[in-house]
Amino acid sequence: MVVGTIIGASIFVQPSVITGAVQSTAAVALVWAVAGIMTLFGALVTAELASAYPRTGGVYVFLKNAFSPSLGFLWGWAMFWSMHSGIIAAIGMVFARYVGHFVPLGDVGVRAVAIAGIVALSGINYLGVRQGSIVQTTFTIGKVFAIVVIILIGFAIGPRSPMPEATGGLTLGEVPAQDFALALVAGLFAFGGWHMVTYAAGETVDPKKTIPRALLLGTLIVTASYVALNAVYFFVLPLGTVTTSTRVAADAAAAVMGSGGADVVSGLVIFSTFGALSGIILAGPRVYYSMARDGLLFGWLGEIHPKHRTPHRAIILQAVWSSVLVATGTYRALFTRVIYTEWIFFGLMAVGLLLLRRRPGYEPSYRVWGYPVVPVLFTLSSAAIVLNQIVSDPTESASGLLIVALGLPVYYFWRARHPETGAATQ
């Protein structure tokens, strides 16, 4: 689930964004390595918290226990209205657009295919976590195998492009720090989703051991895959092509396999996005279920299907709202404004670990390697990402923060109407 959720469509397009920002193969390699290390640090922090609180809900549970129910509620609020539902809608649209490579689709057709994919995968997850897991496992194995084949073929028979630095690229020392930071944000976007495996902790066999192991191994597998894929891109394409390409993986495949390369990569993107969508759809409803169980949402969202043993109503609600975002196109504005705010919560999650370590009764079965350096570095890195985003685009950043902050009055209104919630969530 970790590997399948992270590897979606970004690695097939995002390298051009990163290369355009830094204009250096050495800097590109460093961006992907740093993004991988930051993701690993976040995974280590999350692994310890998951071993201490192996409950369905993941980040929501961690923030609620480390700080307060209000902070956990804000995470769930932002997840449903924008962050999680928005990424489902966005990946659904990417999936549909690549289907359009093989079957001509207009704008309405693309939206219809995206909604159909969301509904179909929601239906599979409605029928049981085992069914969802089978789909997730199958597509993850398939996409990783395909990536390995692309890497091997690219290095074995691909044309060797000239060294970019020798043809006008920058050296690592010439790359401005702010450009590197912007490229790093783009790299971290491609690593998004690593934390979602914790949402289903309550349905995981031996979660105290399984989830930390999954986070560590999954993050390492993805990092290795990303670095190797980027090495192939630069092996077969010049720097200028990688920088300007809107579908760098397809261009690399075309350079190696000819005109049929675009078809091959389009098929891989369809396969990859469908698998990532499956994992994301599986994960989200577990948070809303946990919040409802704690009295922070309507009780009917916390009900389990008597036969399939899934949070069926939360799955339906998520599918409906994600489909609305696809149909209206509003996911673009919501998603781009709010996605960076994830890192505010991630940084707070690491601070929460530092606080929990000082509390009596906190007994995780796994402890972060390199404590306290790893959580401190992760906290500082998260803060730098958020501050860089605010400085780079203050208007969009402010509107994104406002969307998240609107959850606070909702939370206090709910608490006033349901005073028993305070006791239920401690």
Side-chain angles (χ1 to χ4, degrees):
M1 186 173 173
V2 174
V3 175
T5 302
I6 296 176
I7 300 178
S10 296
I11 187 58
F12 305 111
V13 294
Q14 205 77 344
S16 296
V17 178
I18 294 170
T19 306
V22 295
Q23 294 289 313
S24 163
T25 52
V28 168
L30 186 60
V31 164
W32 286 108
V34 172
I37 291 170
M38 284 186 62
T39 302
L40 179 61
F41 283 3
L44 290 169
V45 169
T46 307
E48 176 172 327
L49 292 170
S51 74
Y53 302 104
R55 270 190 56 198
T56 294
V59 178
Y60 157 73
V61 175
F62 309 152
L63 293 173
K64 179 174 72 75
N65 282 279
F67 295 98
S68 71
S70 60
L71 193 57
F73 179 86
L74 282 183
W75 170 261
W77 168 273
M79 264 189 67
F80 178 75
W81 292 112
S82 55
M83 290 191 307
H84 202 83
S85 299
I87 198 171
I88 289 173
I91 293 178
M93 287 293 286
V94 171
F95 165 75
R97 285 169 182 156
Y98 274 90
V99 170
H101 176 82
F102 299 99
V103 181
L105 299 170
D107 182 64
V108 174
V110 168
R111 293 177 191 273
V113 169
I115 291 172
I118 291 169
V119 171
L121 287 170
S122 297
I124 291 171
N125 281 286
Y126 182 102
L127 296 176
V129 70
R130 183 177 298 276
Q131 286 82 350
S133 297
I134 290 171
V135 171
Q136 180 71 9
T137 301
T138 302
F139 277 82
T140 298
I141 292 172
K143 78 172 74 175
V144 172
F145 176 76
I147 287 172
V148 170
V149 170
I150 288 175
I151 292 168
L152 293 176
I153 291 176
F155 281 124
I157 64 174
R160 180 70 174 92
S161 66
M163 288 300 292
E165 273 79 4
T167 57
L170 300 176
T171 63
L172 181 59
E174 294 173 331
V175 176
Q178 187 172 11
D179 291 347
F180 186 88
L182 291 172
L184 182 59
V185 171
L188 288 169
F189 178 79
F191 277 94
W194 48 271
H195 59 288
M196 292 182 192
V197 70
T198 62
Y199 295 170
E203 297 160 278
T204 302
V205 176
D206 194 9
K208 289 187 176 183
K209 291 183 179 179
T210 302
I211 289 180
R213 186 183 301 124
L215 283 162
L216 298 177
L217 293 178
T219 303
L220 290 173
I221 290 169
V222 172
T223 302
S225 299
Y226 281 9
V227 171
L229 269 176
N230 278 273
V232 168
Y233 296 155
F234 283 112
F235 187 77
V236 302
L237 297 172
L239 177 67
T241 301
V242 177
T243 300
T244 58
S245 174
T246 57
R247 45 176 204 150
V248 63
D251 289 340
V256 176
M257 295 179 281
S259 59
D263 294 338
V264 172
V265 170
S266 294
L268 175 58
V269 172
I270 290 171
F271 197 85
S272 183
T273 51
F274 195 76
L277 197 58
S278 174
I280 296 168
I281 287 173
L282 183 152
R286 274 68 188 173
V287 176
Y288 315 136
Y289 156 84
S290 187
M291 293 174 68
R293 287 285 184 171
D294 288 340
L296 293 178
L297 287 178
F298 298 107
W300 52 268
L301 277 173
E303 293 185 11
I304 295 294
H305 194 283
K307 178 181 178 181
H308 304 307
R309 310 305 301 164
T310 56
H312 58 297
R313 291 178 173 172
I315 291 172
I316 292 172
L317 184 64
Q318 175 183 262
V320 169
W321 181 240
S322 298
S323 297
V324 168
L325 294 180
V326 170
T328 60
T330 51
Y331 72 90
R332 294 187 185 92
L334 284 172
F335 182 65
T336 54
R337 287 173 182 171
V338 178
I339 188 61
Y340 85 95
T341 59
E342 272 193 329
W343 286 91
I344 299 175
F345 292 105
F346 290 159
L348 289 171
M349 187 173 66
V351 172
L353 185 146
L354 297 170
L355 297 175
L356 287 167
R357 282 283 191 106
R358 302 169 65 89
R359 293 182 190 172
Y362 175 70
E363 298 179 353
S365 59
Y366 167 83
R367 290 182 178 266
V368 170
W369 168 85
Y371 180 89
V373 175
V374 166
V376 168
L377 285 178
F378 185 73
T379 300
L380 294 175
S381 300
S382 300
I385 290 169
V386 173
L387 289 173
N388 185 70
Q389 177 65 27
I390 291 173
V391 170
S392 301
D393 197 344
T395 303
E396 287 292 300
S397 300
S399 61
L401 288 171
L402 179 62
I403 291 171
V404 176
L406 284 173
L408 272 178
V410 174
Y411 169 78
Y412 287 113
F413 175 78
W414 183 273
R415 283 288 299 271
R417 295 290 300 272
H418 302 83
E420 72 281 1
T421 296
T425 57
Q426 295 304 315

